[in-house]
């Protein structure tokens, strides 16, 4: 990204002015120049530079979120940072919700990977990945501390943890769309969309948002 010399000079002057008023052991440094940025909180943000999105503190970099959540969040960020279109971002979320509800999402996009930090039998709380690990063990698979458990939350009336099915044992079982909407896609995207004026109700019920659409 080419920055005009005048802007670089102004930035240098601003940094110098701020640093003069900071304690001796503190210094504000320039991280870089970006075309556009989006901050959810000071430690959770996304920036775009020459078409490349840089993400900090969001689900894209977490292994324990399903690809459907990561990919949807990435597409939402692209719609905002590259296309400057909150409306497109909202439509992306609505489309994936409809796709989940229709049962048309590939199982590979729903797999959650969680690493065991100890042997399954040593866990006191039966989290989803622990239940899935125990199912694998019962089917003759070796699981121990350090094993990465890949599982899908399936349909059923029992608690979510008990419906965690190892991908190796999925067979013809159906995924639970409500879980992936409420616990994966919406949490990964709402923190972004709410910051630009959309609520969950507006996304789910196709209501119009007016506060920032015109700004973009």
């Amino acid at each position: 990204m080419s920055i005009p010399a005048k802007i670089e000079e102004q930035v240098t002057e601003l940094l110098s002015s701020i640093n003069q008023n900071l304690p001796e052991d503190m210094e504000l440094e320039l991280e870089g120049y970006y075309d556009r940025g989006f901050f959810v909180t000071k430690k959770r943000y996304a920036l775009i530079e020459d078409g490349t999105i840089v993400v900090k503190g969001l689900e894209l970099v977490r292994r324990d979120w399903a690809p459907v959540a990561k990919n949807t969040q990435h597409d939402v960020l692209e719609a905002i940072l590259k296309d400057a279109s909150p409306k497109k971002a909202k439509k992306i979320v609505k489309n994936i919700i409809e796709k989940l509800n229709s049962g048309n999402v590939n199982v590979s996009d729903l797999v959650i990977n969680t690493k065991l930090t100890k042997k399954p039998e040593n866990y006191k709380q039966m989290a989803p990945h622990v239940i899935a690990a125990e199912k694998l063990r019962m089917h003759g698979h070796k699981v121990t501390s350090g094993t990465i458990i890949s599982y899908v939350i399936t349909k059923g009336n029992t608690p979510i943890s008990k419906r965690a099915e190892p991908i190796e044992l999925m067979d013809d079982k159906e995924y639970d769309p409500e879980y992936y909407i409420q616990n994966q896609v919406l949490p990964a995207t709402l923190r972004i969309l709410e910051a630009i004026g959309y609520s969950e109700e507006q996304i789910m019920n196709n209501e119009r948002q007016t506060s920032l659409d015109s700004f973009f």
Side-chain angles (χ1 to χ4, degrees):
M1 181 179 179
S2 178
I3 304 297
K6 184 177 181 180
I7 293 180
E8 287 196 79
E9 183 181 337
Q10 290 174 337
V11 170
T12 301
E13 291 177 356
L14 176 62
L15 287 174
S16 177
S17 175
I18 293 174
N19 285 329
Q20 286 179 4
N21 297 305
L22 292 177
E24 290 185 5
D25 57 343
M26 292 180 63
E27 182 179 9
L28 182 64
E29 296 181 347
L30 176 65
E31 181 175 331
Y33 295 95
Y34 299 91
D35 301 301
R36 190 177 285 117
F38 180 87
F39 288 78
V40 177
T41 67
K42 65 180 180 180
K43 292 186 178 181
R44 292 181 176 179
Y45 59 88
L47 306 167
I48 185 169
E49 179 182 22
D50 296 330
T52 300
I53 294 177
V54 179
V55 177
K56 299 290 185 181
L58 297 174
E59 283 67 32
L60 285 173
V61 296
R62 289 181 53 181
R63 183 171 57 192
D64 57 346
W65 285 74
V68 69
K70 295 180 183 180
N71 294 339
T72 303
Q73 187 185 72
H74 179 271
D75 292 345
V76 164
L77 289 171
E78 276 203 336
I80 295 171
L81 296 174
K82 285 188 176 181
D83 303 323
S85 177
K87 290 181 180 179
K88 181 178 179 180
K90 174 189 173 184
K91 186 176 180 180
I92 288 168
V93 176
K94 284 187 63 65
N95 286 345
I96 196 63
I97 288 173
E98 291 172 2
K99 194 173 180 181
L100 280 164
N101 278 325
S102 66
N104 291 326
V105 174
N106 194 296
V107 171
S108 63
D109 289 327
L110 305 171
V111 176
I112 302 168
N113 298 299
T114 307
K115 184 177 181 179
L116 290 174
T117 57
K118 49 191 172 183
K119 294 181 179 180
E121 60 268 27
N122 292 335
Y123 279 89
K124 293 181 179 180
Q125 293 186 338
M126 292 293 101
H129 69 291
V130 179
I131 297 290
E134 185 62 20
K135 290 178 180 179
L136 280 174
R137 193 182 67 79
M138 294 291 289
H139 280 78
H141 294 260
K142 183 179 179 180
V143 291
T144 187
S145 177
T147 300
I148 295 176
I149 306 299
S150 302
Y151 62 93
V152 174
I153 301 299
T154 57
K155 285 184 177 179
N157 298 319
T158 56
I160 289 174
S161 60
K162 292 186 177 181
R163 290 188 276 117
E165 199 67 33
I167 189 64
E168 296 90 338
L169 307 177
M170 272 295 289
D171 298 326
D172 59 350
K173 299 180 181 68
E174 297 182 358
Y175 69 81
D176 180 0
E178 187 67 13
Y179 169 81
Y180 285 95
I181 292 169
Q182 295 296 330
N183 296 278
Q184 292 278 325
V185 171
L186 286 180
T189 58
L190 267 181
R191 67 185 62 190
I192 297 171
L193 294 176
E194 285 178 342
I196 58 174
Y198 283 115
S199 66
E200 180 177 347
E201 184 178 3
Q202 287 171 322
I203 295 169
M204 301 297 288
N205 299 325
N206 203 30
E207 294 181 18
R208 185 180 178 187
Q209 179 260 26
T210 59
S211 61
L212 286 178
D213 282 341
S214 58
F215 175 80
F216 283 91

